[in-house]
Amino acid sequence: MKLFRTINADMREMAMIKAVPYPSPRSIVDVLMLPGTWAVINYRIASRLHQLGLTPFSRLLYFMNVVLFSFDVPPTTQIGPGMVVPHPMGVAIDRAAKLGARNRFLRSVAIGGSGDPNRPGAPTSGDDVWFMDACHVFGPIHIGDRSILGAVSMVTSDVPPDMFVFGQRKTSDMKSLVDLGLQDHHLRDSSWSLKNTALKSTG
């Protein structure tokens, strides 16, 4: 069943950042003990219920996610398999957003419309995109495959593939992942090396 395959892909990616082999009894228990895993599972089930026309039940799970985990992702939001949310607190994603596979969302990420009636629409993204802590992505823009949006970055225009967008500046302040030595970040088992490398490159 597609729902279970998708949830399995989500759990596999979560196990990868925890650096535990998957599937194994240890990794399954470890991953299921994380609030972010349950926030994602609730979202997946809510999305499926919405597709089946069972809106009251999908809304109930959505409400539970907001209350229990402060995870504000409506059932209508489209996110590919392999979704990872290590810390769900404060994550908010627009109902019309369409995001790719194996994307990672850290705490307090905000993805939504621009608020400008002349620029309607929500963000879209490719695969293997990392949304770091408290980054904000607004408007009908596209984030390319494998790009990393740095902590507290404000992104309001398109980002090409394989780019690193820096913090509290304009979207144009970005560098190639190759220049930063991060081109294989999506293949690594944990995020510690990404953080260390990014700090060395920007400091």
Side-chain angles (χ1 to χ4, degrees), residues 116-150:
D116 183 349
N118 296 317
R119 295 185 68 227
T124 61
S125 82
D127 300 334
D128 300 298
V129 176
W130 289 21
F131 299 84
M132 305 303 281
D133 297 65
C135 75
H136 295 77
V137 186
F138 297 129
I141 64 173
H142 182 74
I143 311 301
D145 293 343
R146 298 170 300 279
S147 285
I148 301 171
L149 308 187

Side-chain angles (χ1 to χ4, degrees), residues 26-203:
R26 176 193 169 191
S27 64
I28 292 173
V29 171
D30 193 12
V31 169
L32 287 175
M33 293 297 290
L34 299 171
T37 299
W38 287 104
V40 171
I41 290 174
N42 281 345
Y43 156 72
R44 294 297 189 193
I45 296 174
S47 294
R48 182 56 181 155
L49 291 173
H50 175 78
Q51 293 168 8
L52 294 173
L54 301 173
T55 304
F57 299 103
S58 67
R59 284 290 181 88
L60 178 61
L61 286 175
Y62 166 59
F63 178 79
M64 287 174 56
N65 255 356
V66 173
V67 172
L68 294 175
F69 306 114
S70 187
F71 185 69
D72 189 352
V73 182
T76 54
T77 306
Q78 298 180 36
I79 303 175
M83 176 184 185
V84 175
V85 186
H87 307 285
M89 296 74 68
V91 173
I93 303 178
D94 191 276
R95 63 186 305 274
K98 298 180 180 179
L99 309 174
R102 298 176 304 281
N103 286 353
R104 300 186 183 186
F105 306 87
L106 277 68
R107 61 186 175 182
S108 301
V109 165
I111 301 174
S114 66
D116 183 349
N118 296 317
R119 295 185 68 227
T124 61
S125 82
D127 300 334
D128 300 298
V129 176
W130 289 21
F131 299 84
M132 305 303 281
D133 297 65
C135 75
H136 295 77
V137 186
F138 297 129
I141 64 173
H142 182 74
I143 311 301
D145 293 343
R146 298 170 300 279
S147 285
I148 301 171
L149 308 187
V152 202
S153 57
M154 178 70 71
V155 184
T156 58
S157 58
D158 291 347
V159 176
D162 301 299
M163 300 299 289
F164 192 114
V165 180
F166 290 91
Q168 300 174 315
R169 307 180 231 183
K170 297 179 294 185
T171 305
S172 58
D173 291 323
M174 63 179 86
K175 287 186 178 180
S176 165
L177 292 181
V178 173
D179 293 340
L180 296 175
L182 298 174
Q183 64 272 19
D184 61 343
H185 73 90
H186 59 291
L187 303 176
R188 300 179 183 183
D189 291 338
S190 62
S191 59
W192 71 267
S193 57
L194 166 64
K195 294 177 181 177
N196 287 348
T197 306
L199 285 172
K200 291 176 183 177
S201 299
T202 59

